[in-house]
Amino acid sequence: MSKPVGLLTLQGDYDKHRRAFRALGRETFDVRRPGELAEVSCLVIPGGESTTLTRLVDRAGLREPVCEFAAHHPVMGTCAGLIMVATALTGEKRPDYGVEPLGLLDCTVIRNGYGRQIDSFTAPVSLDRLDGSPDPFPAVFIRAPRITSVGPDVEVLASYRDEPVIIRQGHLLGMAFHPELTEDFRIHRYFLEMLPD
Amino acid sequence: METPRDNQEIQELYRHKVGLAEMLKGGVIMDVTNAEQAKIAEEAGAVAVMALERIPSDIRKMGGIARMSQPGMIRQIQDMVSIPVMAKVRIGHFAEAQILQALGVDFIDESEVLTPADNANHVYKHDFKVPFVCGCRNLGEALRRIGEGAAMIRTKGEAGSGDVVEAVTHMREVTEGIRRLQMMRKDELMAEAKNLGAPYEILVQTAELGKLPVPNFAAGGIATPADASLMMQLGAETVFVGSGIFASEDPAPRAKAIVDAVTYFDDPAKLMEISMKLGEAMKGRAVNEMAENEKMAGRGW
């Protein structure tokens, strides 16, 4: 029996991810301490507040352990989770917000790049490059980060208005929106397929 | 004012509103009265700040009419932090809410902490693009607010008291009410909706889910890491801390400690460590010693 899916449960909508994985028949395991990474096969960094997540990752002593884990295991970051796995931020209005990404997935993002809460929206995004499916995915963008550039080894799996919204680099997956807020679990299934047999 | 056009648009908008509330789970929302306090809150790891002119304990002391904060002061806080900024309107004061929406706040708290502007009605929240949070004392009140379009529910507790007893009472009322629903037969739910004064469809949805259809947060009297843990263990998904931080002796470490206490609410050893070396908590006032007309929780209908 393989190890459960790890959820970083420091803060955010991790319960929505738990629900998605359960619907796909997979158990999850909460990660809030470095030692708990040994219990999981992969890690999901959920939506939440990236400022808060940065602080809590550092206070929990999880920065180095998560980076080491990500060298050999699949990691998925959604929305704030994408900000956490990114290599760089741009367009920060003040220098002292103190959000430091983990620097795993080679991309640059603008936090809240699609606007404030009142600018939140749902848009159909094609998953054609992800699983060949003709049905668009209802992508929910809430105070979402905008991906402004990606590194040479990064594959763009989906775009919205010609900008990348799902990206992959090896076993690292990131997206600007919230796949966990819909009833469509294709992206979660795709992530599980990234696990070694 | 730009209002949603049709039912489908209202539903999609509502999904985004509840979605933001979901993102705040497992975090702490802190009352702040200026940009400097907002910075302290953000540094400590708050998931959002509530911008208001006076913290509830000072509203109690000063008396007079408590209204929506000055937009200029809210703007300064928006310019200082990158986390969501919330602000309060008086119960039923939809014009204050329109101004806050124009200001681009991320969440509006239709709050009993301010002096009510309407003795019978709350704001019709589906008219707004910005999400609302509302207080409640029991399940009926929670479901009425959701019926009006609230995207997040919090206990009222007794704001500015530093006494957690009312928040506990209200959280238990809500969770016990939901457990009752779950034990009922389908043919008993309409009578229960009538008893509670609650919208039937949302009551049925709550019975099926076994929880409110929107996040349920705790507020009103939380002053220590232990208070935060207590509320989380009673079923809160996040906590609001109003006066508890900036009316305490040393706000910055207390803010940080309460954030950590919410993350590790179920780990007593960690909570012990978190609770070490904090200054004095806010002095507070026991709710049981307050006159009825001093209490804020009774405001709202």
Side-chain angles (χ1 to χ4, degrees), chain B residues 17-295:
Chain B
K17 293 173 178 176
V18 177
L20 178 60
E22 298 283 353
M23 297 314 138
L24 304 176
K25 279 187 182 174
V28 179
I29 300 158
M30 299 182 191
D31 279 4
V32 297
T33 57
N34 56 46
E36 186 196 343
Q37 289 184 353
K39 194 76 216 160
I40 292 172
E42 184 174 63
E43 275 306 310
V47 285
V49 289
M50 177 76 70
L52 72 178
E53 261 155 27
R54 294 194 290 271
I55 54 174
S57 60
D58 288 339
I59 291 177
R60 278 185 184 288
K61 274 185 221 149
M62 297 184 64
I65 309 299
R67 308 180 178 92
M68 174 187 82
S69 297
Q70 298 283 348
M73 167 268 186
I74 298 170
R75 176 61 55 79
Q76 282 175 5
I77 290 174
Q78 289 174 315
D79 290 342
M80 177 60 85
V81 297
S82 66
I83 54 179
V85 175
M86 304 185 171
K88 290 181 193 289
V89 299
R90 286 178 264 177
I91 288 171
H93 207 316
F94 52 83
E96 284 186 346
Q98 289 162 356
I99 292 170
L100 290 185
Q101 173 159 289
L103 195 58
V105 303
D106 297 293
F107 236 104
I108 293 176
D109 185 2
E110 187 182 18
S111 177
E112 69 283 359
V113 168
L114 305 185
T115 312
D118 191 316
N119 280 328
N121 308 294
H122 282 249
V123 173
Y124 183 65
K125 293 165 268 286
H126 281 306
D127 271 352
F128 288 80
K129 287 188 86 174
V130 57
F132 278 71
V133 53
C134 289
C136 75
R137 286 163 298 174
N138 52 48
L139 184 58
E141 205 174 1
L143 299 180
R144 287 195 292 281
R145 297 295 85 80
I146 296 168
E148 295 155 356
M152 184 201 296
I153 290 295
R154 56 171 175 77
T155 60
K156 285 182 173 170
E158 190 55 46
S161 69
D163 187 348
V164 79
V165 67
E166 291 296 282
V168 168
T169 305
H170 300 159
M171 185 57 73
R172 284 191 186 275
E173 281 283 333
V174 171
T175 51
E176 190 201 319
I178 295 172
R179 282 199 301 273
R180 274 171 55 81
L181 290 186
Q182 286 180 287
M183 286 187 300
M184 285 180 175
R185 289 161 47 101
K186 281 204 176 67
D187 54 13
E188 293 168 335
L189 292 176
M190 183 59 88
E192 184 68 358
K194 184 182 162 201
N195 289 340
L196 296 177
Y200 175 71
E201 305 294 339
I202 296 170
L203 179 135
V204 171
Q205 200 188 350
T206 303
E208 284 167 0
L209 288 169
K211 68 184 286 302
L212 293 179
V214 304
N216 183 16
F217 294 6
I222 294 152
T224 68
D227 288 348
S229 166
L230 177 70
M231 295 314 301
M232 293 293 286
Q233 293 190 56
L234 286 172
E237 294 172 298
T238 282
V239 299
F240 282 83
V241 186
S243 318
I245 290 169
F246 290 101
S248 76
E249 190 184 40
D250 197 358
R254 180 163 298 267
K256 187 165 163 267
I258 292 179
V259 169
D260 288 344
V262 168
T263 301
Y264 300 101
F265 72 94
D266 55 355
D267 181 343
K270 189 93 183 170
L271 289 164
M272 178 196 69
E273 204 180 292
I274 290 165
S275 305
M276 293 270 184
K277 293 183 191 159
L278 291 180
E280 284 287 314
M282 72 179 281
K283 181 162 177 279
R285 279 191 62 196
V287 175
N288 292 339
E289 290 166 11
M290 284 181 192
E292 276 312 304
N293 64 5
E294 288 182 273
K295 295 182 186 172

Side-chain angles (χ1 to χ4, degrees), chain A residues 9-16 32-33 47-49 51-52 55-56 59-60 94 96-97 99 111-112 116-118 120-122 140-143 178 180-182, chain B residues 12 15-17 19-20 22-27 39 42-47 78-84 101 104 106 129-131 256 259-260 263-264 266-267:
Chain A
T9 56
L10 293 170
Q11 190 273 319
D13 75 332
Y14 44 83
D15 277 330
K16 293 287 176 191
R32 285 179 291 174
R33 301 166 187 83
E49 272 308 310
T51 318
T52 305
R55 311 275 193 273
L56 292 175
R59 279 188 224 157
R94 292 174 57 93
D96 59 348
Y97 289 149
V99 175
R111 295 197 301 149
N112 303 339
R116 299 189 79 98
Q117 171 61 18
I118 51 171
S120 298
F121 62 98
T122 301
V140 181
F141 293 79
I142 296 175
R143 287 171 54 90
H178 292 284
E180 72 281 11
L181 290 183
T182 51
Chain B
E12 182 174 318
R15 234 194 359 259
H16 300 150
K17 293 173 178 176
L20 178 60
E22 298 283 353
M23 297 314 138
L24 304 176
K25 279 187 182 174
K39 194 76 216 160
E42 184 174 63
E43 275 306 310
V47 285
Q78 289 174 315
D79 290 342
M80 177 60 85
V81 297
S82 66
I83 54 179
Q101 173 159 289
D106 297 293
K129 287 188 86 174
V130 57
K256 187 165 163 267
V259 169
D260 288 344
T263 301
Y264 300 101
D266 55 355
D267 181 343

